C-alpha cells in the first residue's frame, strides 16, 4: 500500500476520532453541530472519491459495480450537503417533512443494484446489459414504494407522524435488503472479493445500527447533531474510504460463471415479484377505510402509472432476451454445422491414415512378384510363339502393367512426406492445369471458361501437389462432359482470408457427392481408374491447411470448392480477368506450349 493510501485512510480515521473527541468535550451548541456536519460531509466526500480509482481501473461489470457504489455514495454526500446547508449556513433545524429525504432513501438503490451485478463472477456483456435493466426496474420499484408510502403524508394529505413512521420503516427495510444481499455475496465469494464484501457488510451494519440508535434518541428528544450517537455513523462513513483503498490495492479475481447459482433466473423472478406486488398495494389502498380518499386516489393512479412503466421495462428486457436467444440459436446451428464438417473431415482423415498404413506395406510386397512377372513376360516376348500364344502373352503383360499402375497409385496415396512449400500463384497454376487438360478432352462441344481475380494473394504450398489437385479435378469435370458437351467454369477469388477456387460444370452431376473423397470410390468403368485421385486431392488440401468440398448444383452439374489460406499482402483486388477455352479450338502452338 502506498504512502498516499495510508495517509488517506489515516485522515479518515483521524476525522472519526475528532468527531468522538468533540462529542465528549465540546458543549452542545452551534459549534458542535457545525463541526459534526462538516466532518460527516468530508468523510462522505472522501469515501466517494476513494471509489473513483476503482471505476477508472476496471472494466465491464466490475466497473459498473464500482460506478453504482460511487453513485450511491454521491447521493448520500449530496443529502449530507443539504443537511449542512440548513444547520450550518442557515442555522436552522432540518425541515420535517423534507422533500430531499428521497435522496437519502434512494442512495441504497444503486448500491443494491451494484450487488446484483455480482462482479466476482465471470460473465459476459449480455449480463451487463440485463443488469442495467434490472437496476432500472429496481429503481422504479423502490421509488414507487417511497411515493406510495411517504409522499401522500407530505403533499396529498400532510400528516407528520405517518410521514416519519412510513419513512423509517421503508428505509429500515431497504437497509435490511442491502445487508442481506451483501451477506449472501460475502458467503459465496472468495479471496479478495470476500474481503471487499465483508467490509461492505461491516460498514452497512454499522450504519444501520447507528441510524436506528439515532432514531431512538430522536423519538425520546435526547438527540442532537454532534452527540455520541453520531460517532458510529461517522465510523461507517470512514469505512467506505477504507473499502475503496483496499479494493484498489487488492483487486479481486473473478470466479467461474457456474458458481453464480442462477443469478439471471433469480433476478428475473425478483423483477416479476416486484411487478406483481403493485396490484397488491393497490388493493390494500382500495379496501383500507382508514386512509383519506385523496390518498387512496393518489395511490391508485400511482400504481397504474408504475405498472405501465415497469411493464415497458420488462417488455424491453424480453425484447433483448429474444434477440439474444435468436443469436444463440443461429450460433448453435452454425457451430453444429461446423462440428459436423469437422467430424466428417476427421473421419476422412482417419480413413486415409489407416488405409495409407495398410496399402503402404502391401504395395511394396506386391511389387516383387509383379517385377518377376514383367521379366518373364519380356522373356516370353523374345521367344518363338504362335499367334495365339503371343496374344495371350500380350494380355498377361497388359494386366501386369495395369496392376503395377495400381500399385504405383497406392504408393503415391500412402506416401506421407511433408511437402516443401513456397509462395504459389494460384492464377498461373490453374491456367496451366486447364491448358494441360484441354488437349486430352474428347468432347466436341466442351468449353472451359476461367474467371480469375487480378492481383490475387498467393498461397503457401507445394506447386506440384496443388497442380496435381487442379489437374485431377479438371480432368474429372472434362470427362463428365465428354458425352453431352458443356462448359466448365473455373473461378478464383479472395474470400475473407482465403483464396477460393471453384470448378463448376453443367454436366450430369455426381451420384453420391458425399462419398467422392472416399478411397476406391469411383463411377468410371472397371479399368479406368482405381478411385484414389480425389482421396489424394483431399489429403493434399488437408496438408495445406485448406478445405475441399463437392456438391451438385441445383441447375445441374457439380461444383468443387477449394479454400486455401492466403498470404495477405497490401495489394487490392483490382478486378478480374476472364477467358474461354474450347477443346476444339486449341491451336497446335497452344498445345505445344501447354505440353512444355
Amino acid at each position: 500500500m502506498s504512502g498516499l493510501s495510508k495517509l488517506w485512510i489515516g485522515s479518515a480515521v483521524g476525522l472519526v476520532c475528532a468527531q468522538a473527541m468533540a462529542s465528549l468535550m465540546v458543549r452542545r451548541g452551534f459549534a458542535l453541530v457545525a463541526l459534526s456536519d462538516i466532518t460527516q460531509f468530508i468523510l462522505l466526500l472522501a469515501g466517494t472519491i476513494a471509489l473513483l480509482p476503482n471505476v477508472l481501473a476496471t472494466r465491464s461489470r466490475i466497473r459498473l459495480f464500482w460506478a453504482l457504489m460511487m453513485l450511491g455514495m454521491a447521493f448520500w454526500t449530496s443529502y449530507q450537503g443539504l443537511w449542512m446547508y440548513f444547520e450550518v449556513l442557515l442555522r436552522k433545524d432540518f425541515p420535517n417533512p423534507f422533500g430531499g429525504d428521497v435522496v437519502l432513501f434512494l442512495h441504497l438503490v444503486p448500491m443494491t443494484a451494484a450487488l446484483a451485478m455480482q462482479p466476482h463472477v465471470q460473465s459476459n456483456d449480455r449480463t451487463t446489459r440485463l443488469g442495467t435493466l434490472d437496476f432500472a426496474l429496481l429503481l422504479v420499484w423502490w421509488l414507487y414504494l417511497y411515493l406510495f408510502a411517504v409522499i401522500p403524508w407530505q403533499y396529498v394529505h400532510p400528516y407528520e407522524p405517518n410521514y416519519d413512521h412510513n419513512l423509517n420503516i421503508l428505509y429500515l427495510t431497504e437497509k435490511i435488503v442491502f445487508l442481506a444481499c451483501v451477506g449472501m455475496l460475502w458467503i459465496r465469494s472468495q479471496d479478495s472479493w470476500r474481503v471487499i464484501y465483508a467490509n461492505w457488510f461491516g460498514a452497512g451494519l454499522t450504519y444501520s445500527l447507528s441510524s436506528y440508535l439515532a432514531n431512538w434518541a430522536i423519538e425520546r428528544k435526547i438527540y442532537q447533531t454532534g452527540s455520541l450517537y453520531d460517532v458510529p455513523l461517522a465510523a461507517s462513513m470512514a469505512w467506505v474510504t477504507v473499502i475503496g483503498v483496499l479494493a484498489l490495492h487488492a483487486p479481486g479475481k473473478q470466479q467461474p460463471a457456474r458458481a453464480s447459482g442462477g443469478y439471471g433466473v433469480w433476478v428475473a423472478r425478483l423483477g416479476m415479484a416486484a411487478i406483481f406486488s403493485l396490484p397488491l398495494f393497490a388493493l390494500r389502498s382500495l379496501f383500507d377505510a382508514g386512509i383519506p380518499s385523496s390518498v387512496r386516489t393518489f395511490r391508485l393512479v400511482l400504481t397504474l402509472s408504475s405498472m405501465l412503466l415497469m411493464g415497458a421495462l420488462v417488455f424491453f428486457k424480453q425484447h433483448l432476451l429474444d434477440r439474444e436467444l435468436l443469436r444463440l440459436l443461429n450460433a448453435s446451428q452454425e457451430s453444429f454445422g461446423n462440428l459436423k464438417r469437422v467430424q466428417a473431415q476427421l473421419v476422412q482423415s482417419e480413413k486415409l491414415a489407416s488405409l495409407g498404413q495398410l496399402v503402404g506395406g502391401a504395395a511394396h510386397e506386391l511389387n516383387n512378384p509383379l517385377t518377376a512377372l514383367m521379366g518373364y513376360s519380356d522373356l516370353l516376348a523374345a521367344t518363338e510363339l504362335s499367334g495365339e500364344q503371343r496374344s495371350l502373352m500380350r494380355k498377361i503383360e497388359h494386366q501386369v502393367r495395369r496392376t503395377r499402375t495400381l500399385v504405383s497409385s497406392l504408393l503415391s496415396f500412402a506416401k506421407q512426406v511433408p511437402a516443401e512449400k513456397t509462395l504459389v500463384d494460384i492464377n498461373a497454376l490453374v491456367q496451366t492445369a486447364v491448358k494441360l487438360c484441354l488437349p486430352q478432352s474428347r468432347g466436341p462441344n466442351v468449353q472451359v471458361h476461367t474467371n480469375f481475380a487480378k492481383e490475387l494473394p498467393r498461397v503457401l504450398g507445394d506447386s506440384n501437389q496443388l497442380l496435381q489437385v487442379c489437374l485431377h479435378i479438371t480432368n474429372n469435370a472434362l470427362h463428365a462432359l465428354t458425352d453431352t458437351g458443356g462448359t466448365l467454369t473455373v473461378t478464383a477469388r479472395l474470400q475473407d482470408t482465403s483464396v477460393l477456387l471453384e470448378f463448376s460444370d453443367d454436366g450430369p452431376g455426381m451420384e453420391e457427392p458425399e462419398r467422392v473423397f472416399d478411397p476406391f470410390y469411383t463411377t468410371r468403368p472397371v479399368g479406368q481408374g482405381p478411385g484414389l485421385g480425389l482421396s489424394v486431392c483431399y489429403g493434399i488440401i488437408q496438408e495445406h491447411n485448406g478445405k475441399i468440398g463437392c456438391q451438385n448444383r441445383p441447375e445441374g452439374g457439380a461444383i468443387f470448392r477449394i479454400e486455401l489460406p492466403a498470404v495477405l499482402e497490401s495489394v487490392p483486388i483490382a478486378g478480374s480477368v476472364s477467358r474461354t477455352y474450347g477443346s476444339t479450338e486449341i491451336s497446335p502452338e497452344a498445345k505445344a506450349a501447354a505440353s512444355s
Side-chain angles (χ1 to χ4, degrees):
M1 187 178 296
S2 63
L4 181 60
S5 299
K6 293 180 180 178
L7 178 61
W8 196 265
I9 295 177
S11 301
V13 175
L15 287 174
V16 176
C17 294
Q19 171 78 60
M21 293 179 62
S23 300
L24 293 172
M25 301 176 61
V26 178
R27 295 177 57 184
R28 291 191 175 187
F30 174 74
L32 181 60
V33 170
L35 178 62
S36 177
D37 285 344
I38 295 174
T39 299
Q40 292 179 20
F41 179 79
I42 294 175
L43 286 173
L44 288 173
L45 183 62
T48 305
I49 297 175
L51 298 180
L52 180 59
N54 292 282
V55 178
L56 300 177
T58 53
R59 294 185 299 174
S60 190
R61 287 186 308 115
I62 301 180
R63 170 176 287 184
L64 184 58
F65 168 80
W66 289 113
L68 290 173
M69 284 294 187
M70 184 178 172
L71 178 61
M73 289 300 300
F75 282 173
W76 195 4
T77 304
S78 62
Y79 183 77
Q80 182 62 32
L82 294 174
W83 194 287
M84 185 175 62
Y85 171 75
F86 281 99
E87 291 194 337
V88 177
L89 297 181
L90 300 182
R91 297 195 177 190
K92 295 180 180 180
D93 291 334
F94 200 75
N96 187 36
F98 177 54
D101 287 338
V102 67
V103 178
L104 178 64
F105 172 77
L106 290 179
H107 92 275
L108 285 177
V109 175
M111 301 177 78
T112 307
L115 299 176
M117 294 291 100
Q118 294 195 94
H120 65 286
V121 177
Q122 294 177 356
S123 188
N124 49 32
D125 293 337
R126 177 185 64 85
T127 304
T128 303
R129 293 192 298 269
L130 296 179
T132 305
L133 286 176
D134 295 332
F135 163 64
L137 195 62
L138 182 65
L139 176 62
V140 171
W141 189 69
W142 281 108
L143 186 59
Y144 163 79
L145 292 181
Y146 185 84
L147 295 175
F148 183 90
V150 179
I151 291 300
W153 308 113
Q154 182 178 2
Y155 295 110
V156 180
H157 187 83
Y159 187 60
E160 184 176 336
N162 282 358
Y163 175 87
D164 292 337
H165 176 75
N166 289 354
L167 177 60
N168 291 334
I169 292 297
L170 196 57
Y171 193 34
L172 178 62
T173 303
E174 189 179 27
K175 287 182 285 190
I176 292 174
V177 171
F178 177 78
L179 287 175
C181 293
V182 176
M184 182 178 61
L185 295 183
W186 178 18
I187 294 173
R188 295 163 57 183
S189 58
Q190 300 174 1
D191 303 328
S192 299
W193 279 112
R194 189 179 184 88
V195 176
I196 293 173
Y197 290 139
N199 280 276
W200 275 117
F201 185 83
L205 182 62
T206 303
Y207 172 66
S208 300
L209 294 177
S210 63
S211 298
Y212 179 80
L213 187 62
N215 289 332
W216 177 85
I218 291 174
E219 291 178 357
R220 285 157 180 77
K221 309 297 182 182
I222 59 176
Y223 173 82
Q224 183 185 5
T225 302
S227 61
L228 288 174
Y229 298 104
D230 285 345
V231 175
L233 181 62
S236 66
M237 296 174 179
W239 208 329
V240 178
T241 300
V242 177
I243 294 173
V245 175
L246 288 178
L248 183 64
H249 290 85
K253 295 182 179 180
Q254 291 183 312
Q255 301 170 202
R258 60 185 179 184
S260 62
Y263 154 75
V265 175
W266 281 106
V267 170
R269 290 174 180 174
L270 290 176
M272 292 299 102
I275 294 178
F276 287 130
S277 68
L278 301 187
L280 299 179
F281 285 109
L283 289 175
R284 181 181 180 277
S285 298
L286 188 61
F287 294 104
D288 188 357
I291 62 174
S293 59
S294 58
V295 174
R296 182 182 299 109
T297 303
F298 172 81
R299 287 179 171 178
L300 291 175
V301 173
L302 173 66
T303 302
L304 179 59
S305 303
S306 300
M307 290 178 64
L308 291 175
L309 179 57
M310 296 178 72
L313 289 175
V314 172
F315 176 80
F316 183 63
K317 180 179 179 180
Q318 187 62 43
H319 174 68
L320 292 181
L321 287 174
D322 290 342
R323 290 181 56 186
E324 182 69 16
L325 182 61
L326 289 175
R327 188 190 67 82
L328 291 175
L329 180 61
N330 293 332
S332 63
Q333 290 176 342
E334 183 179 355
S335 300
F336 182 70
N338 292 336
L339 181 62
K340 290 182 65 177
R341 285 192 291 272
V342 171
Q343 185 181 19
Q345 293 175 359
L346 181 61
V347 171
Q348 185 72 18
S349 300
E350 290 294 334
K351 286 181 181 179
L352 297 180
S354 301
L355 191 59
Q357 294 177 358
L358 174 65
V359 303
H364 286 290
E365 295 298 328
L366 290 174
N367 267 333
N368 294 327
L370 288 176
T371 301
L373 288 173
M374 286 295 298
Y376 289 135
S377 63
D378 290 339
L379 290 176
L380 285 174
T383 60
E384 295 290 337
L385 297 174
S386 64
E388 182 179 359
Q389 291 174 334
R390 189 167 296 278
S391 174
L392 292 174
M393 183 273 299
R394 288 175 180 172
K395 290 182 180 179
I396 294 174
E397 181 181 9
H398 173 73
Q399 295 299 325
V400 170
R401 292 186 184 278
R402 177 186 167 194
T403 305
R404 288 199 64 178
T405 301
L406 175 60
V407 171
S408 177
S409 298
L410 290 174
L411 285 174
S412 299
F413 172 77
K415 185 173 64 174
Q416 300 178 357
V417 181
E420 182 179 353
K421 298 178 180 178
T422 58
L423 291 179
V424 178
D425 185 351
I426 289 295
N427 285 347
L429 185 141
V430 177
Q431 284 181 344
T432 300
V434 171
K435 289 182 179 180
L436 290 175
C437 290
L438 277 174
Q440 304 174 20
S441 175
R442 301 175 183 177
N445 299 314
V446 176
Q447 289 188 337
V448 179
H449 177 71
T450 60
N451 185 11
F452 302 142
K454 290 183 178 179
E455 300 178 351
L456 192 67
R458 299 189 177 190
V459 300
L460 188 64
D462 183 284
S463 58
N464 291 326
Q465 290 186 351
L466 294 178
L467 180 61
Q468 177 184 351
V469 172
C470 295
L471 284 171
H472 190 84
I473 295 177
T474 305
N475 265 326
N476 281 356
L478 294 177
H479 182 273
L481 299 175
T482 299
D483 297 331
T484 61
T487 302
L488 170 65
T489 303
V490 185
T491 62
R493 67 177 187 274
L494 182 65
Q495 179 176 284
D496 297 331
T497 59
S498 301
V499 173
L500 178 64
L501 288 177
E502 291 185 345
F503 298 81
S504 175
D505 65 72
D506 53 4
M510 308 292 295
E511 294 182 3
E512 297 175 291
E514 67 279 0
R515 292 190 56 198
V516 295
F517 299 109
D518 289 347
F520 300 110
Y521 174 80
T522 180
T523 58
R524 298 186 183 184
V526 177
Q528 293 191 18
L532 290 173
L534 288 177
S535 296
V536 174
C537 293
Y538 183 91
I540 291 174
I541 298 301
Q542 289 291 310
E543 175 67 24
H544 286 74
N545 299 318
K547 300 177 183 178
I548 182 172
C550 170
Q551 66 184 44
N552 286 326
R553 301 168 62 207
E555 59 271 22
I559 181 171
F560 280 82
R561 288 189 177 91
I562 299 175
E563 292 184 33
L564 294 170
V567 180
L568 296 178
E569 301 173 349
S570 56
V571 179
I573 303 301
S576 60
V577 57
S578 301
R579 185 173 299 177
T580 301
Y581 302 89
S583 59
T584 59
E585 301 174 2
I586 300 297
S587 63
E589 293 78 3
K591 292 182 179 180
S595 301
S596 61

